[in-house]
């Protein structure tokens, strides 16, 4: 062993003797009951608090157009995320957004177009070729969010201790807000009901 490798080994050993640090945050999970709609899926649940910072993912988040539908129907991302709009159908699709004031054009199967979302908000995605197609990109300025599944359940992992305003977004249902306090190392369950 060289002096350098001995030093490196000693350093590694020192690191190994450090106590294991518990995961920094707690999970916030629960079930959303949706009244007046056929499914509690696709509801965005987020935890808002002053001063939260977000880091967009290095790779684009994909929203596909498949079987004449936007898939997933609702995509939630943090501010400054690039969304890649893919066309997996054998026919051409278009993507435009009234709120986003963009029209990305019309493209064939296997191709995609990117759009970066700079501001928080909900952006309807439409296709000029197929007026029945509709999807949503929900842009958040918090890193703590989840989208409900078919059963209305959600899980937001690794939330640091603190006070948050839990907020829901749904294409058809009223937004609900609820104050929650997350404690370190203690999972929190929040069940709520949203309606029209
Ligand atoms: Cu289309």
């Amino acid at each position: 062993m060289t002096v350098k490798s001995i030093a490196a080994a000693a350093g590694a050993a020192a690191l190994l003797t450090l106590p294991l640090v518990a995961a920094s945050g707690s999970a916030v999970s629960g079930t959303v009951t949706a009244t007046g709609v056929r499914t509690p899926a696709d509801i965005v649940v987020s935890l808002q608090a002053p001063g939260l910072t977000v880091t967009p993912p290095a790779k684009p988040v994909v929203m596909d157009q498949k079987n004449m539908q936007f898939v997933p129907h609702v995509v939630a991302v943090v501010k400054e995320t690039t969304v890649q709009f893919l066309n997996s159908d054998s026919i051409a699709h278009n993507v435009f957004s009234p709120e986003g004031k963009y029209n990305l054009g019309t493209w064939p199967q296997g191709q995609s177009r990117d759009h970066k979302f700079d501001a928080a908000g909900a952006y309807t995605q439409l296709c000029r070729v197929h007026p029945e197609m509709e999807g949503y990109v929900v842009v958040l300025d918090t890193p703590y969010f989840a989208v409900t599944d078919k059963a209305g359940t959600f899980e937001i992992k690794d939330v640091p201790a603190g006070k948050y305003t839990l907020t829901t977004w749904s294409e058809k249902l009223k937004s609900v807000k609820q104050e929650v306090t997350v404690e370190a190392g203690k999972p929190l369950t929040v069940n709520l009901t949203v309606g029209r």
Side-chain angles (χ1 to χ4, degrees):
M1 257 187 178
T2 63
V3 170
K4 203 171 168 185
S5 67
I6 290 167
L15 280 177
L16 288 173
T17 60
L18 287 173
L20 285 173
V21 178
S24 58
S26 306
V28 176
S29 61
T31 303
V32 180
T33 303
T35 59
V37 285
R38 65 188 166 78
T39 172
D42 295 319
I43 296 170
V44 179
V45 180
S46 63
L47 300 174
Q48 317 278 338
L52 292 177
T53 56
V54 295
T55 308
K59 284 185 179 172
V61 173
V62 175
M63 183 175 235
D64 201 359
Q65 284 173 295
K66 198 174 184 181
N67 299 325
M68 307 289 289
Q69 290 180 326
F70 284 95
V71 182
H73 183 59
V74 172
V75 166
V77 297
V78 299
K79 220 164 48 177
E80 288 173 25
T81 295
T82 296
V83 174
Q84 182 178 71
F85 293 96
L86 176 67
N87 179 2
S88 289
D89 279 338
S90 56
I91 46 165
H93 286 299
N94 159 262
V95 174
F96 77 99
S97 172
E99 299 90 349
K101 298 184 171 58
Y102 55 79
N103 185 337
L104 303 181
T106 300
W107 57 94
Q109 187 172 39
Q111 290 191 16
S112 63
R113 299 287 185 276
D114 288 352
H115 182 77
K116 186 166 159 260
F117 290 87
D118 290 324
Y123 299 86
T124 312
Q125 309 301 316
L126 299 166
C127 170
R128 284 213 190 281
V129 189
H130 308 104
E132 71 278 18
M133 292 180 69
E134 199 168 48
Y136 297 87
V137 175
V138 177
V139 182
L140 301 161
D141 43 21
T142 169
Y144 310 117
F145 63 90
V147 182
T148 57
D149 63 13
K150 282 184 291 190
T153 62
F154 69 93
E155 182 180 27
I156 307 169
K157 289 186 176 130
D158 253 350
V159 181
K163 289 183 190 299
Y164 299 88
T165 304
L166 183 146
T167 306
T168 66
W169 177 92
S170 157
E171 65 177 289
K172 293 192 177 113
L173 303 168
K174 281 185 190 131
S175 175
V176 166
K177 288 182 196 295
Q178 187 174 323
E179 301 308 314
V180 298
T181 301
V182 176
E183 293 175 47
K186 202 173 163 189
L188 178 67
T189 303
V190 183
N191 296 321
L192 57 159
T193 300
V194 293
R196 284 179 182 267

